[in-house]
Amino acid sequence: GAVVSQHPSWVICKSGTSVKIECRSLDFQATTMFWYRQFPKQSLMLMATSNEGSKATYEQGVEKDKFLINHASLTLSTLTVTSAHPEDSSFYICSAQPPGGAITGELFFGEGSRLTVL
Amino acid sequence: AQSVTQPDIHITVSEGASLELRCNYSYGATPYLFWYVQSPGQGLQLLLKYFSGDTLVQGIKGFEAEFKRSQSSFNLRKPSVHWSDAAEYFCAVVGGNKLVFGAGTILRVKS
């Protein structure tokens, strides 16, 4: 299957700092990528839809100024958690939509990034 | 709105025993359905998917799922579970061009 890579796999930062997480589709061009957040023992919560060359679409309740998403190329989307606080600690997972995926909804997921804010 | 229900939060089976994980969905039209598996601290891996056609779908790692429209179900099955199958399993349906996930079922395998 297609490969989606996330980096870093885990990161620890101090409260008040910003952290950037990268999501790359390695073997296909993804015009659309999605960012999810997963709390311990819970399902994935969609945060935002990232479209190449345009602004991201955020889900209700997600602060767009706190979670900055950039999709500058067809293979890279970044999520920046700004002024991180301990409550932002979570597992963040990205996914990329392959060609034709807009119809089927099929996605390929990254390995996830665990953020711990001290 | 589309939704997915996985009634079982945890399931424990013995190695070698059969497995069935339940999934019920709510969607007005013909759904696109998926099963994903997540190992601890990892991303999600697609096990199988249903778009149309044969209602019994074969996936990777010996898994299969059956789409039953009358029951709005898409249960995941495996005839003989291996210890390496211990993980969390998510059922998902496409709704509004987004993937909507169930709460997940944690599978434990005892030897």
Side-chain angles (χ1 to χ4, degrees):
Chain A
V3 178
V4 176
S5 177
Q6 247 180 276
H7 178 81
S9 300
W10 57 272
V11 57
I12 301 173
C13 70
K14 292 182 179 180
S15 186
T17 60
S18 295
V19 174
K20 180 185 286 187
I21 301 170
E22 292 185 347
C23 178
R24 294 181 185 275
S25 58
L26 299 183
D27 52 2
F28 65 94
Q29 294 184 330
T31 55
T32 304
M33 291 184 173
F34 300 87
W35 286 95
Y36 293 83
R37 183 173 179 176
Q38 186 179 30
F39 293 98
K41 299 183 179 180
Q42 294 189 28
S43 189
L44 284 75
M45 180 191 77
L46 179 63
M47 298 175 64
T49 301
S50 169
N51 296 297
E52 188 267 337
S54 64
K55 291 183 179 180
T57 303
Y58 290 82
E59 296 300 302
Q60 191 172 11
V62 177
E63 299 175 60
K64 62 180 181 181
D65 294 329
K66 180 164 193 59
F67 299 100
L68 300 179
I69 291 173
N70 183 276
H71 194 157
S73 78
L74 289 172
T75 58
L76 173 64
S77 176
T78 60
L79 167 68
T80 301
V81 183
T82 62
S83 187
H85 290 279
E87 57 264 31
D88 298 325
S89 299
S90 191
F91 194 56
Y92 294 88
I93 303 177
C94 75
S95 64
Q97 190 175 78
I103 298 174
T104 65
E106 183 171 4
L107 298 175
F108 294 100
F109 287 82
E111 310 94 327
S113 300
R114 181 162 302 285
L115 170 64
T116 301
V117 184
L118 303 177
Chain B
Q2 296 75 19
S3 65
V4 177
T5 302
Q6 292 180 246
D8 304 304
I9 299 174
H10 296 101
I11 281 187
T12 300
V13 299
S14 298
E15 190 169 14
S18 63
L19 169 71
E20 182 169 36
L21 301 182
R22 295 184 291 166
C23 172
N24 293 95
Y25 66 90
S26 172
Y27 188 64
T30 299
Y32 295 150
L33 295 158
F34 304 82
W35 273 100
Y36 287 89
V37 60
Q38 184 181 32
S39 297
Q42 300 292 316
L44 276 70
Q45 181 183 22
L46 179 67
L47 284 176
L48 48 77
K49 59 194 177 189
Y50 171 78
F51 294 160
S52 64
D54 194 346
T55 56
L56 185 62
V57 180
Q58 301 298 321
I60 63 171
K61 305 184 179 184
F63 286 92
E64 66 177 26
E66 186 170 12
F67 170 60
K68 292 185 177 179
R69 183 187 299 276
S70 61
Q71 299 177 18
S72 296
S73 69
F74 189 56
N75 295 346
L76 182 71
R77 300 193 294 248
K78 186 169 184 177
S80 177
V81 170
H82 189 262
W83 64 266
S84 60
D85 294 324
E88 188 162 14
Y89 292 79
F90 291 95
C91 182
V93 65
V94 173
N97 202 32
K98 299 173 186 174
L99 210 52
V100 177
F101 287 89
T105 298
I106 296 173
L107 172 65
R108 298 189 179 115
V109 181
K110 59 182 181 181
S111 56

